[in-house]
Amino acid sequence: GHTNITAWAALRRVMYGTSFAPPVFYKLQFYTAISISVLFVNALIQAAGSYYTSLDAGSDGFGQDVDISGIARLIFLASPLVLQVVFAYQINRICLDHVQSIRKAHASNLDLAMSGGIQDEPEIETLKGAADHLASVADEIQASYEASPMKVMGVVAQPAVVSILISAITTVIILRIRGFEFN
């Protein structure tokens, strides 16, 4: 009972998020931020260059040649970032699901110990001890989640981050297709 709970909690503590190889985790976040910044700046520069080149050619900027490969490259290279945010968000949700499940097990152990259905005093004490261990583990998981949730590029992984990324990708694609002048 107690040793299984303690062992699981220790394993989870080592393997969760930033606890697992923190320098590697932060280095990956830094490199991801640099890569996506370069990708978006490159796409914006190409969109501006294409638009202003068409203006120099005497066009009004509309009907410019659309670089399909540039748009495909932007989508292809930015999609893994969106997936990374989704996966990090799922990891955060798993933490909250673990807390909920552990709290249910805690309540079940206490109910079983207090219900009077078990007359063996050592077994009642074992259930109460296990319930205490479970409550401690749930509190620790909740605290570690609140202190250091999974992040992508230094931002907590949330559905809103996915929405912002998709909006940024869409904006760059529209600028590449339509140009910078909106009438």
Side-chain angles (χ1 to χ4, degrees), residues 32-78:
T32 301
I34 289 172
S35 298
I36 199 68
S37 298
V38 167
L39 177 68
F40 276 107
V41 168
N42 180 33
L44 285 171
I45 289 171
Q46 287 180 353
S50 177
Y51 176 72
Y52 289 114
T53 300
S54 68
L55 287 180
D56 287 343
S59 170
D60 63 358
F62 296 105
Q64 61 190 359
D65 291 338
V66 177
D67 181 16
I68 299 298
S69 66
I71 293 171
R73 181 180 46 225
L74 175 64
I75 292 171
F76 179 73
L77 294 175

Short mmCIF file of all heavy atoms in Angstrom, two decimals, residues 32-78:
data_model
loop_
_atom_site.label_atom_id
_atom_site.label_comp_id
_atom_site.label_asym_id
_atom_site.label_seq_id
_atom_site.Cartn_x
_atom_site.Cartn_y
_atom_site.Cartn_z
N THR A 32 13.11 26.49 -29.72
CA THR A 32 11.81 26.54 -30.38
C THR A 32 11.39 27.99 -30.61
O THR A 32 10.89 28.33 -31.69
CB THR A 32 10.75 25.81 -29.54
OG1 THR A 32 11.16 24.45 -29.36
CG2 THR A 32 9.39 25.83 -30.21
N ALA A 33 11.57 28.84 -29.61
CA ALA A 33 11.21 30.25 -29.75
C ALA A 33 12.02 30.92 -30.86
O ALA A 33 11.48 31.67 -31.68
CB ALA A 33 11.42 30.98 -28.42
N ILE A 34 13.31 30.64 -30.91
CA ILE A 34 14.15 31.22 -31.97
C ILE A 34 13.70 30.72 -33.34
O ILE A 34 13.55 31.50 -34.28
CB ILE A 34 15.64 30.88 -31.73
CG1 ILE A 34 16.16 31.66 -30.53
CG2 ILE A 34 16.48 31.19 -32.97
CD1 ILE A 34 17.55 31.24 -30.09
N SER A 35 13.46 29.42 -33.45
CA SER A 35 13.09 28.83 -34.75
C SER A 35 11.77 29.40 -35.27
O SER A 35 11.67 29.76 -36.44
CB SER A 35 12.98 27.31 -34.63
OG SER A 35 14.20 26.76 -34.27
N ILE A 36 10.78 29.48 -34.41
CA ILE A 36 9.48 29.97 -34.88
C ILE A 36 9.55 31.46 -35.18
O ILE A 36 8.91 31.94 -36.12
CB ILE A 36 8.34 29.63 -33.88
CG1 ILE A 36 6.98 29.71 -34.59
CG2 ILE A 36 8.34 30.52 -32.68
CD1 ILE A 36 6.76 28.66 -35.62
N SER A 37 10.38 32.20 -34.44
CA SER A 37 10.55 33.63 -34.73
C SER A 37 11.19 33.82 -36.11
O SER A 37 10.73 34.65 -36.90
CB SER A 37 11.42 34.30 -33.67
OG SER A 37 10.81 34.21 -32.41
N VAL A 38 12.22 33.05 -36.38
CA VAL A 38 12.87 33.13 -37.70
C VAL A 38 11.89 32.74 -38.80
O VAL A 38 11.83 33.40 -39.85
CB VAL A 38 14.14 32.23 -37.73
CG1 VAL A 38 14.65 32.05 -39.15
CG2 VAL A 38 15.21 32.80 -36.83
N LEU A 39 11.09 31.73 -38.56
CA LEU A 39 10.12 31.28 -39.56
C LEU A 39 9.11 32.38 -39.88
O LEU A 39 8.86 32.69 -41.05
CB LEU A 39 9.39 30.03 -39.05
CG LEU A 39 8.29 29.48 -39.93
CD1 LEU A 39 8.89 28.92 -41.21
CD2 LEU A 39 7.53 28.40 -39.19
N PHE A 40 8.55 33.02 -38.85
CA PHE A 40 7.56 34.06 -39.08
C PHE A 40 8.18 35.32 -39.69
O PHE A 40 7.59 35.93 -40.59
CB PHE A 40 6.81 34.41 -37.79
CG PHE A 40 5.67 33.49 -37.50
CD1 PHE A 40 5.75 32.55 -36.49
CD2 PHE A 40 4.50 33.53 -38.24
CE1 PHE A 40 4.71 31.69 -36.23
CE2 PHE A 40 3.46 32.68 -38.00
CZ PHE A 40 3.56 31.75 -36.98
N VAL A 41 9.34 35.71 -39.24
CA VAL A 41 10.01 36.88 -39.81
C VAL A 41 10.34 36.62 -41.28
O VAL A 41 10.12 37.49 -42.14
CB VAL A 41 11.27 37.25 -38.99
CG1 VAL A 41 12.13 38.26 -39.74
CG2 VAL A 41 10.86 37.80 -37.63
N ASN A 42 10.82 35.43 -41.60
CA ASN A 42 11.12 35.07 -42.97
C ASN A 42 9.86 35.14 -43.83
O ASN A 42 9.89 35.69 -44.94
CB ASN A 42 11.74 33.67 -43.02
CG ASN A 42 12.07 33.24 -44.43
OD1 ASN A 42 12.42 34.04 -45.28
ND2 ASN A 42 11.95 31.94 -44.68
N ALA A 43 8.76 34.58 -43.33
CA ALA A 43 7.51 34.60 -44.10
C ALA A 43 7.01 36.03 -44.31
O ALA A 43 6.54 36.38 -45.40
CB ALA A 43 6.46 33.76 -43.39
N LEU A 44 7.12 36.89 -43.29
CA LEU A 44 6.70 38.28 -43.43
C LEU A 44 7.58 39.04 -44.41
O LEU A 44 7.09 39.85 -45.21
CB LEU A 44 6.68 38.97 -42.07
CG LEU A 44 5.52 38.59 -41.16
CD1 LEU A 44 5.73 39.17 -39.76
CD2 LEU A 44 4.20 39.07 -41.74
N ILE A 45 8.88 38.81 -44.36
CA ILE A 45 9.80 39.47 -45.29
C ILE A 45 9.49 39.05 -46.72
O ILE A 45 9.45 39.88 -47.63
CB ILE A 45 11.26 39.18 -44.92
CG1 ILE A 45 11.63 39.93 -43.64
CG2 ILE A 45 12.21 39.55 -46.06
CD1 ILE A 45 12.97 39.54 -43.06
N GLN A 46 9.22 37.76 -46.93
CA GLN A 46 8.88 37.28 -48.27
C GLN A 46 7.57 37.89 -48.75
O GLN A 46 7.44 38.26 -49.91
CB GLN A 46 8.81 35.76 -48.29
CG GLN A 46 10.15 35.09 -48.22
CD GLN A 46 10.04 33.57 -48.24
OE1 GLN A 46 8.96 33.02 -48.18
NE2 GLN A 46 11.19 32.92 -48.32
N ALA A 47 6.59 37.99 -47.84
CA ALA A 47 5.31 38.59 -48.22
C ALA A 47 5.49 40.06 -48.58
O ALA A 47 4.94 40.54 -49.58
CB ALA A 47 4.31 38.45 -47.08
N ALA A 48 6.26 40.79 -47.78
CA ALA A 48 6.50 42.21 -48.07
C ALA A 48 7.28 42.36 -49.38
O ALA A 48 6.95 43.23 -50.20
CB ALA A 48 7.26 42.86 -46.92
N GLY A 49 8.29 41.53 -49.56
CA GLY A 49 9.07 41.61 -50.80
C GLY A 49 8.23 41.34 -52.02
O GLY A 49 8.33 42.04 -53.03
N SER A 50 7.38 40.35 -51.95
CA SER A 50 6.51 40.01 -53.07
C SER A 50 5.54 41.15 -53.37
O SER A 50 5.31 41.51 -54.51
CB SER A 50 5.75 38.72 -52.76
OG SER A 50 4.86 38.41 -53.79
N TYR A 51 4.99 41.75 -52.33
CA TYR A 51 4.03 42.84 -52.49
C TYR A 51 4.71 44.08 -53.09
O TYR A 51 4.23 44.65 -54.07
CB TYR A 51 3.40 43.18 -51.14
CG TYR A 51 2.48 44.36 -51.19
CD1 TYR A 51 1.25 44.27 -51.80
CD2 TYR A 51 2.86 45.59 -50.65
CE1 TYR A 51 0.39 45.36 -51.86
CE2 TYR A 51 2.02 46.68 -50.70
CZ TYR A 51 0.79 46.56 -51.31
OH TYR A 51 -0.05 47.63 -51.37
N TYR A 52 5.84 44.48 -52.52
CA TYR A 52 6.50 45.68 -53.00
C TYR A 52 7.15 45.48 -54.36
O TYR A 52 7.25 46.43 -55.15
CB TYR A 52 7.49 46.20 -51.96
CG TYR A 52 6.79 46.77 -50.77
CD1 TYR A 52 6.90 46.17 -49.52
CD2 TYR A 52 5.95 47.88 -50.90
CE1 TYR A 52 6.21 46.67 -48.42
CE2 TYR A 52 5.27 48.39 -49.81
CZ TYR A 52 5.40 47.79 -48.57
OH TYR A 52 4.72 48.29 -47.51
N THR A 53 7.54 44.27 -54.70
CA THR A 53 8.06 43.99 -56.04
C THR A 53 6.95 44.16 -57.06
O THR A 53 7.17 44.72 -58.14
CB THR A 53 8.63 42.56 -56.11
OG1 THR A 53 9.68 42.45 -55.16
CG2 THR A 53 9.14 42.23 -57.49
N SER A 54 5.75 43.72 -56.72
CA SER A 54 4.62 43.87 -57.66
C SER A 54 4.25 45.34 -57.81
O SER A 54 3.82 45.77 -58.87
CB SER A 54 3.43 43.03 -57.22
OG SER A 54 2.88 43.55 -56.02
N LEU A 55 4.41 46.16 -56.74
CA LEU A 55 4.13 47.59 -56.85
C LEU A 55 5.15 48.27 -57.77
O LEU A 55 4.80 49.15 -58.56
CB LEU A 55 4.16 48.26 -55.47
CG LEU A 55 2.99 47.97 -54.54
CD1 LEU A 55 3.18 48.71 -53.21
CD2 LEU A 55 1.68 48.37 -55.17
N ASP A 56 6.42 47.86 -57.67
CA ASP A 56 7.46 48.41 -58.52
C ASP A 56 7.22 48.06 -59.98
O ASP A 56 7.60 48.81 -60.88
CB ASP A 56 8.85 47.90 -58.11
CG ASP A 56 9.33 48.54 -56.82
OD1 ASP A 56 8.75 49.59 -56.42
OD2 ASP A 56 10.27 48.00 -56.20
N ALA A 57 6.56 46.93 -60.20
CA ALA A 57 6.29 46.50 -61.58
C ALA A 57 5.08 47.21 -62.16
O ALA A 57 4.67 46.96 -63.28
CB ALA A 57 6.08 44.99 -61.62
N GLY A 58 4.48 48.12 -61.39
CA GLY A 58 3.34 48.88 -61.90
C GLY A 58 2.00 48.28 -61.55
O GLY A 58 0.96 48.81 -61.93
N SER A 59 1.98 47.20 -60.83
CA SER A 59 0.72 46.58 -60.42
C SER A 59 0.22 47.27 -59.17
O SER A 59 0.93 48.00 -58.51
CB SER A 59 0.96 45.09 -60.17
OG SER A 59 -0.16 44.50 -59.56
N ASP A 60 -1.03 47.03 -58.84
CA ASP A 60 -1.58 47.62 -57.61
C ASP A 60 -1.32 46.73 -56.40
O ASP A 60 -1.77 47.00 -55.30
CB ASP A 60 -3.08 47.88 -57.75
CG ASP A 60 -3.88 46.60 -57.96
OD1 ASP A 60 -3.28 45.51 -58.04
OD2 ASP A 60 -5.12 46.69 -58.05
N GLY A 61 -0.58 45.67 -56.59
CA GLY A 61 -0.24 44.78 -55.48
C GLY A 61 -1.15 43.58 -55.39
O GLY A 61 -0.83 42.60 -54.75
N PHE A 62 -2.29 43.67 -56.05
CA PHE A 62 -3.20 42.53 -56.02
C PHE A 62 -2.94 41.67 -57.25
O PHE A 62 -2.45 42.15 -58.27
CB PHE A 62 -4.65 42.99 -55.99
CG PHE A 62 -4.99 43.74 -54.75
CD1 PHE A 62 -5.14 45.12 -54.77
CD2 PHE A 62 -5.10 43.08 -53.54
CE1 PHE A 62 -5.42 45.81 -53.62
CE2 PHE A 62 -5.39 43.76 -52.38
CZ PHE A 62 -5.55 45.14 -52.42
N GLY A 63 -3.26 40.42 -57.15
CA GLY A 63 -3.03 39.52 -58.27
C GLY A 63 -1.56 39.16 -58.40
O GLY A 63 -1.12 38.72 -59.44
N GLN A 64 -0.81 39.42 -57.34
CA GLN A 64 0.61 39.11 -57.37
C GLN A 64 0.80 37.60 -57.43
O GLN A 64 -0.09 36.85 -57.12
CB GLN A 64 1.30 39.68 -56.15
CG GLN A 64 0.75 39.11 -54.86
CD GLN A 64 1.25 39.84 -53.64
OE1 GLN A 64 2.01 40.76 -53.76
NE2 GLN A 64 0.82 39.44 -52.48
N ASP A 65 1.97 37.22 -57.84
CA ASP A 65 2.28 35.80 -57.86
C ASP A 65 2.28 35.27 -56.43
O ASP A 65 2.97 35.81 -55.57
CB ASP A 65 3.63 35.54 -58.50
CG ASP A 65 3.62 35.83 -59.98
OD1 ASP A 65 2.52 35.81 -60.56
OD2 ASP A 65 4.70 36.10 -60.54
N VAL A 66 1.51 34.26 -56.20
CA VAL A 66 1.44 33.66 -54.87
C VAL A 66 2.44 32.51 -54.82
O VAL A 66 2.42 31.63 -55.67
CB VAL A 66 0.01 33.15 -54.56
CG1 VAL A 66 -0.02 32.48 -53.21
CG2 VAL A 66 -0.97 34.30 -54.61
N ASP A 67 3.31 32.56 -53.84
CA ASP A 67 4.34 31.55 -53.67
C ASP A 67 3.75 30.40 -52.85
O ASP A 67 3.76 30.44 -51.62
CB ASP A 67 5.55 32.16 -52.98
CG ASP A 67 6.67 31.16 -52.79
OD1 ASP A 67 6.64 30.10 -53.44
OD2 ASP A 67 7.57 31.45 -51.99
N ILE A 68 3.21 29.39 -53.53
CA ILE A 68 2.58 28.26 -52.85
C ILE A 68 3.59 27.51 -51.99
O ILE A 68 3.28 27.08 -50.89
CB ILE A 68 1.93 27.30 -53.88
CG1 ILE A 68 0.86 28.02 -54.68
CG2 ILE A 68 1.36 26.08 -53.19
CD1 ILE A 68 -0.30 28.53 -53.87
N SER A 69 4.82 27.40 -52.48
CA SER A 69 5.82 26.66 -51.69
C SER A 69 6.13 27.40 -50.38
O SER A 69 6.37 26.76 -49.36
CB SER A 69 7.10 26.45 -52.50
OG SER A 69 7.72 27.70 -52.77
N GLY A 70 6.12 28.72 -50.39
CA GLY A 70 6.36 29.48 -49.16
C GLY A 70 5.23 29.30 -48.16
O GLY A 70 5.47 29.17 -46.95
N ILE A 71 4.01 29.27 -48.66
CA ILE A 71 2.85 29.05 -47.78
C ILE A 71 2.89 27.63 -47.23
O ILE A 71 2.67 27.42 -46.03
CB ILE A 71 1.53 29.32 -48.55
CG1 ILE A 71 1.43 30.82 -48.88
CG2 ILE A 71 0.33 28.87 -47.73
CD1 ILE A 71 0.29 31.16 -49.81
N ALA A 72 3.18 26.67 -48.09
CA ALA A 72 3.25 25.27 -47.64
C ALA A 72 4.37 25.10 -46.62
O ALA A 72 4.19 24.40 -45.61
CB ALA A 72 3.47 24.36 -48.83
N ARG A 73 5.51 25.76 -46.83
CA ARG A 73 6.62 25.67 -45.89
C ARG A 73 6.22 26.25 -44.53
O ARG A 73 6.51 25.67 -43.49
CB ARG A 73 7.84 26.40 -46.45
CG ARG A 73 9.04 26.34 -45.53
CD ARG A 73 10.26 27.05 -46.07
NE ARG A 73 9.90 28.34 -46.61
CZ ARG A 73 10.33 28.82 -47.76
NH1 ARG A 73 11.14 28.13 -48.50
NH2 ARG A 73 9.95 30.01 -48.19
N LEU A 74 5.53 27.39 -44.55
CA LEU A 74 5.08 27.99 -43.29
C LEU A 74 4.15 27.04 -42.54
O LEU A 74 4.32 26.80 -41.34
CB LEU A 74 4.36 29.32 -43.56
CG LEU A 74 3.72 29.99 -42.35
CD1 LEU A 74 4.79 30.40 -41.34
CD2 LEU A 74 2.90 31.18 -42.77
N ILE A 75 3.19 26.48 -43.23
CA ILE A 75 2.25 25.55 -42.59
C ILE A 75 2.98 24.30 -42.11
O ILE A 75 2.78 23.84 -40.98
CB ILE A 75 1.10 25.19 -43.56
CG1 ILE A 75 0.23 26.42 -43.81
CG2 ILE A 75 0.26 24.05 -43.00
CD1 ILE A 75 -0.79 26.25 -44.90
N PHE A 76 3.84 23.76 -42.95
CA PHE A 76 4.56 22.54 -42.61
C PHE A 76 5.48 22.73 -41.40
O PHE A 76 5.57 21.87 -40.53
CB PHE A 76 5.37 22.07 -43.83
CG PHE A 76 6.17 20.82 -43.59
CD1 PHE A 76 5.54 19.59 -43.49
CD2 PHE A 76 7.54 20.88 -43.45
CE1 PHE A 76 6.27 18.43 -43.27
CE2 PHE A 76 8.29 19.74 -43.22
CZ PHE A 76 7.65 18.51 -43.14
N LEU A 77 6.17 23.86 -41.33
CA LEU A 77 7.11 24.09 -40.25
C LEU A 77 6.45 24.61 -38.97
O LEU A 77 6.98 24.43 -37.88
CB LEU A 77 8.22 25.04 -40.70
CG LEU A 77 9.13 24.49 -41.79
CD1 LEU A 77 10.12 25.54 -42.25
CD2 LEU A 77 9.86 23.24 -41.31
N ALA A 78 5.30 25.27 -39.09
CA ALA A 78 4.62 25.79 -37.90
C ALA A 78 3.67 24.75 -37.28
O ALA A 78 3.37 24.84 -36.09
CB ALA A 78 3.84 27.05 -38.25
#
